[in-house]
Amino acid sequence: MGKKGKKEKKGRGAEKTAAKMEKKVSKRSRKEEEDLEALIAHFQTLDAKRTQIVETPCPPPSPRLNASLSVHPEKDELILFGGEYFNGQKTFLYNELYVYNIRKDAWTKVDIPSPPPRRCAHQAVVVPQGGGQLWVFGGEFASPNGEQFYHYKDLWVLHLATKTWEQVKSTGGPSGRSGHRMVAWKRQLILFGGFHESTRDYIYYNDVYAFNLDTFTWSKLSPSGTGPTPRSGCQMSVTPQGGIIIYGGYSKQRVKKDVDKGTRHSDMFLLKPEDGREDKWVWTRMNPSGVRPTPRSGFSVAMAPNHQTLFFGGVCDEEEEESLAGEFFNDLYFYDATRNRWFEGQLKGPKSEKKKRRRGRREEPEGGSKLACGGTGTQAPVEVVKEVVAEDGTVVTIKQVLATPGLAGQPQSEDEDSLEEAGSPTPGPCPRSNAMLAVKHGVLYVYGGMFEAGDRQVTLSDLHCLDLHRMEAWKALVEMDPETQEWLEETDSEEDSEEVEGAEGGDEDEDEDSGEESGAEG
């Protein structure tokens, strides 16, 4: 009894600390949010000039990350909404809506009256009723100088049949946040985690909310059992058995004044209704087998055929005293919830073709592009062995082959079949984080994202696809040369920064008004 009472008391103490921190963050950020609300209102006034739906055939969208890419439930279309782009001095936030027609390989920009305000790091979920609905919650907006942040707590629905936006107002929902995750579960939207950041403070969440799609009401769930610690940017997916998987994510905590320590989570949990009751939920810790992804943040997730969860890319930031170096990935993993097992995605392309490509890369002359999609300028594959300490204290040795510029090194698999191909160059999307993923008819689509080359951030606008049934080779639908992207060096001069006009993407008059920096974590 004594031990149990002690545990319960400790749990209540943690809840009180979290409540105090949230109150502190709320008080300090209230003034910031009031300032930003005025700026958001200004942009909404500009958006209000739209009085009718205008669909315009257009080139592929401009580079961006932390947008949402969703699959139309009835048509062969992908729907791109929001996102951000950083040019070295400013970040531009978007609320544009683009539709990609898969069969025609064509993009259309859809201007709809009264859209949600500009945002990134939101969540979008499609449900099939009424000809299809795209539900959007939360996300982030920032001041032009990137020092103040506004986290939305609004809920919107795009009626795909009529192409109309509607804001759904309901009390009792989640607080403002970005980097959260949301899935459709039966006739509900289930939302987990995320973070809120102000100038001086930040807080990460591990709360769970449900939005009923029939009654349009929010409810906060209180699952029993030990669940995930607070985090953002995790994997959240529905299992064939009706549970919800949470894996990985990122969080940080202040270890001393002005010093934060980041954590890349690699644990997995299952959230499911207890005894089949939809009003009572329980957390269970999962220990999947197989070849799991190396710890990272900024990865992207989509649902693959056979109810498997697909995991792509991301970044592992190595924090040193005065620098932050990121290792970006473009590897694929699949999680099979039925077998509770991870699998590494390996392409089956012809071996002769692979050997030919490998020879071609060796013959490439020196002085090649250093921006070749995250390449480091290394001419030969390099094997790196490093030890990573997992959250439970286990030391995991990771052996990784870093390939030539522009091509990702795949972590070596434990399977003998894949050892031969580990590290061999594979054309396709270059290593990146915060990309947008969608799967339609068993084909994976990867759009945009970012990688870093030295002090420069390269935001991508390429589009690749991969047949997940055949797993043979990537196909480039939209290509991009990172060398052509504008990059403006940082300046302390306010006059210089004011002269910087908007980035591409959207109408010119909108671009000039859409520049604001963001510190979003996808």
Side-chain angles (χ1 to χ4, degrees):
M1 285 292 290
K3 283 187 178 180
K4 186 180 177 185
K6 215 172 188 179
K7 280 185 180 178
E8 288 177 354
K9 191 174 181 182
K10 188 177 180 182
R12 287 196 297 271
E15 286 177 10
K16 284 183 180 179
T17 302
K20 283 181 182 178
M21 175 60 75
E22 187 162 1
K23 190 174 181 181
K24 185 180 177 184
V25 169
S26 176
K27 188 175 180 181
R28 288 185 174 179
S29 62
R30 197 172 298 131
K31 179 63 172 66
E32 295 176 14
E33 294 190 347
E34 286 173 0
D35 294 341
L36 292 179
E37 280 172 357
L39 193 54
I40 293 167
H42 165 68
F43 290 133
Q44 285 185 293
T45 302
L46 295 178
D47 290 333
K49 293 177 183 177
R50 304 176 190 171
T51 56
Q52 58 186 4
I53 301 168
V54 179
E55 298 185 49
T56 311
C58 63
S62 58
R64 63 194 64 199
L65 68 152
N66 286 328
S68 56
L69 186 65
S70 308
V71 174
H72 196 296
E74 297 181 358
K75 300 179 181 179
D76 290 339
E77 293 178 346
L78 305 180
I79 304 160
L80 180 71
F81 173 72
E84 59 173 318
Y85 164 69
F86 182 55
N87 70 0
Q89 292 182 354
K90 290 183 179 181
T91 293
F92 297 82
L93 298 181
Y94 303 111
N95 63 347
E96 302 165 328
L97 187 75
Y98 289 94
V99 173
Y100 176 67
N101 186 303
I102 294 171
R103 290 187 180 182
K104 296 179 181 177
D105 186 24
W107 289 91
T108 301
K109 186 171 185 287
V110 185
D111 289 313
I112 300 174
S114 305
R118 292 156 170 78
R119 68 189 64 206
C120 65
H122 54 280
Q123 281 289 277
V125 171
V126 170
V127 294
Q129 60 256 34
Q133 297 174 346
L134 177 74
W135 288 85
V136 174
F137 178 83
E140 183 177 306
F141 180 86
S143 62
N145 62 9
E147 294 182 0
Q148 296 176 320
F149 304 98
Y150 184 92
H151 296 268
Y152 295 103
K153 58 179 179 180
D154 51 353
L155 180 66
W156 294 76
V157 58
L158 173 64
H159 300 280
L160 299 176
T162 58
K163 295 184 174 65
T164 53
W165 280 108
E166 175 190 357
Q167 184 174 3
V168 179
K169 296 183 179 180
S170 176
T171 58
S175 55
R177 63 189 66 193
S178 56
H180 50 288
R181 292 295 178 258
M182 186 169 75
V183 295
W185 184 87
K186 295 187 178 181
R187 295 287 298 148
Q188 299 183 76
L189 302 176
I190 307 293
L191 184 147
F192 169 80
F195 76 103
H196 182 288
E197 184 175 9
S198 65
T199 303
R200 284 182 268 180
D201 295 297
Y202 54 81
I203 182 169
Y204 285 79
Y205 300 105
N206 63 346
D207 46 5
V208 186
Y209 284 84
F211 180 78
N212 189 301
L213 292 168
D214 294 319
T215 61
F216 281 21
T217 54
W218 283 105
S219 59
K220 185 174 183 180
L221 305 183
S222 301
S224 59
T226 302
T229 54
R231 64 193 62 191
S232 72
C234 61
Q235 167 187 322
M236 186 178 190
S237 55
V238 179
T239 71
Q241 297 80 20
I244 296 173
I245 287 288
I246 298 290
Y247 169 76
Y250 176 84
S251 65
K252 62 182 179 181
Q253 61 186 81
R254 192 146 292 164
V255 291
K256 56 184 179 180
K257 189 176 180 181
D258 298 327
V259 178
D260 298 322
K261 181 184 178 183
T263 300
R264 296 182 298 275
H265 300 280
S266 57
D267 47 0
M268 180 178 282
F269 295 84
L270 175 66
L271 176 66
K272 64 178 181 179
E274 196 168 3
D275 302 324
R277 295 171 50 185
E278 294 187 13
D279 62 336
K280 198 173 182 184
W281 295 71
V282 59
W283 283 113
T284 305
R285 178 75 180 255
M286 302 289 284
N287 292 298
S289 60
V291 184
R292 66 180 68 189
T294 55
R296 65 190 71 182
S297 59
F299 55 80
S300 305
V301 173
M303 289 307 296
N306 302 319
H307 302 286
Q308 293 185 341
T309 303
L310 186 150
F311 177 108
F312 170 81
V315 61
C316 179
D317 289 321
E318 295 296 336
E319 299 180 25
E320 298 177 6
E321 285 188 13
E322 295 184 0
S323 65
L324 186 68
E327 181 182 352
F328 290 80
F329 302 95
N330 65 347
D331 43 1
L332 276 175
Y333 290 87
F334 296 87
Y335 173 70
D336 188 329
T338 304
R339 291 188 277 178
N340 189 28
R341 184 177 179 86
W342 281 102
F343 297 90
E344 187 176 10
Q346 296 285 348
L347 301 188
K348 304 172 185 175
K351 290 187 178 180
S352 58
E353 193 177 332
K354 289 187 176 180
K355 288 177 183 175
K356 187 177 178 182
R357 279 196 212 104
R358 198 178 295 124
R359 266 200 310 273
R361 295 303 295 180
R362 285 201 191 106
E363 291 166 5
E364 184 177 302
E366 292 185 12
S369 169
K370 291 184 180 180
L371 282 183
C373 273
T376 59
T378 309
Q379 290 302 308
V382 177
E383 186 178 89
V384 176
V385 179
K386 58 185 177 182
E387 293 184 342
V388 176
V389 181
E391 289 176 301
D392 59 3
T394 306
V395 178
V396 181
T397 301
I398 298 172
K399 189 179 289 185
Q400 189 163 27
V401 178
L402 305 181
T404 49
L407 303 168
Q410 298 282 347
Q412 289 190 358
S413 167
E414 293 172 5
D415 300 333
E416 290 181 5
D417 293 344
S418 63
L419 287 175
E420 181 185 343
E421 301 301 335
S424 61
T426 306
C430 64
R432 66 191 65 196
S433 69
N434 304 92
M436 284 61 74
L437 262 59
V439 175
K440 182 74 172 179
H441 298 318
V443 176
L444 167 66
Y445 295 86
V446 176
Y447 169 76
M450 62 82 74
F451 69 85
E452 293 167 350
D455 294 332
R456 177 174 177 176
Q457 174 179 309
V458 179
T459 307
L460 300 162
S461 61
D462 52 352
L463 177 65
H464 296 261
C465 69
L466 174 67
D467 188 321
L468 297 174
H469 295 296
R470 296 182 178 182
M471 288 294 288
E472 289 180 353
W474 286 96
K475 178 182 177 183
L477 299 171
V478 177
E479 296 187 87
M480 173 191 174
D481 179 6
E483 289 281 5
T484 62
Q485 187 167 101
E486 175 189 54
W487 182 257
L488 304 174
E489 296 298 332
E490 283 187 86
T491 174
D492 295 328
S493 169
E494 291 183 9
E495 290 181 8
D496 290 347
S497 63
E498 285 173 3
E499 290 173 5
V500 178
E501 294 300 336
E504 291 181 13
D507 300 328
E508 290 180 7
D509 57 339
E510 291 180 354
D511 287 344
E512 291 179 7
D513 291 307
S514 65
E516 36 275 337
E517 293 202 26
S518 165
E521 297 171 37

